[in-house]
Amino acid sequence: MPELQILFTREQIAGRVAELGAEIARDFAGQPIVLLGVLKGASVFLGDLARTIPLDATFDFLGVSSYGDGASPGGEVRLIKDVDQSMAGRNVILVEDILDTGLTLDYLKRIISTHQPRALRTAALLDKPARRRITISADYVGFVIPDHFVVGYGMDYAERYRNLPDIHILPPEMF
Ligand code: IMP
């Protein structure tokens, strides 16, 4: 395994995730929520975030395909796994690992809205505004970052590195 530069340590991530969880808990105090994760990148973030939110919470997951195995977006988003439960009338928090071009979040927000949830909010651990192709932002953002390709804490390059506990920068010569 090569040495990759750390962008955020596990301690920095845990601190910020706890702050996001507290915000969500305040916003939905006394109400049940659904944490709806986007596979596979958001799975680690969702697991940690959920444990900082002392509310009645359930999990569900959506699967999309957009990047293939590479580091540049194909520009097309396809749903490959739909939700298991109905989102109608629920407080849904759509949980993404990273908001990049914005195409995935835009597509998923439109799909979930058709289910008529009671509320629909979005959480992204990382936000790379420099690469945005449409105007969209998340309601809960962990860290705004410059245009680096990052891996670890659930995020991959060609399915690798998801299990790294910190978030690292993947240098351009590696993809
Ligand atoms: P968007 O549709 O361009 O906003 O892309 C969102 C998805 O692309 C994220 O959920 C990630 O799965 C993937 N992605 C974007 N940037 C990175 C990165 O720096 N590292 C790993 N995955 C990324």
Side-chain angles (χ1 to χ4, degrees):
M1 198 76 123
E3 276 291 313
L4 297 173
Q5 186 194 333
I6 291 184
L7 183 60
F8 297 110
T9 64
R10 63 201 79 182
E11 292 81 14
Q12 288 173 310
I13 299 167
R16 187 66 188 122
V17 168
E19 288 174 356
L20 295 180
E23 239 184 281
I24 293 171
R26 255 196 323 273
D27 292 351
F28 289 95
Q31 303 174 55
I33 60 168
V34 185
L35 293 168
L36 178 55
V38 185
L39 292 171
K40 303 169 196 166
S43 55
V44 175
F45 174 38
L46 186 145
D48 281 349
L49 181 67
R51 287 177 290 170
T52 68
I53 304 175
L55 297 179
D56 175 1
T58 55
F59 293 3
D60 208 329
F61 293 94
L62 284 166
V64 292
S65 139
S66 55
Y67 263 49
D69 271 356
S72 60
E76 189 192 320
V77 185
R78 249 177 350 112
L79 191 68
I80 54 177
K81 187 215 166 288
D82 204 346
V83 290
D84 295 333
Q85 311 150 38
S86 166
M87 296 294 131
R90 321 272 299 271
N91 295 311
V92 179
I93 320 276
L94 190 55
V95 182
E96 262 258 65
D97 51 356
I98 177 162
L99 182 52
D100 188 28
T101 63
L103 296 173
T104 307
L105 198 63
D106 178 59
Y107 173 78
L108 293 178
K109 273 180 83 172
R110 280 188 280 118
I111 289 188
I112 300 305
S113 298
T114 65
H115 292 235
Q116 297 185 308
R118 180 174 185 277
L120 176 57
R121 300 282 155 76
T122 53
L125 179 63
L126 302 179
D127 184 358
K128 264 200 268 190
R131 289 183 28 100
R132 204 74 95 249
R133 283 169 54 182
I134 48 171
T135 307
I136 190 166
S137 57
D139 299 301
Y140 307 100
V141 173
F143 303 98
V144 176
I145 64 166
D147 184 12
H148 296 304
F149 196 85
V150 294
V151 294
Y153 198 73
M155 290 169 284
D156 75 311
Y157 172 66
E159 295 300 328
R160 295 180 62 209
Y161 309 114
R162 293 194 196 276
N163 59 323
L164 300 181
D166 308 296
I167 296 176
H168 301 258
I169 296 174
L170 194 71
E173 63 272 16
M174 288 184 64
F175 55 84

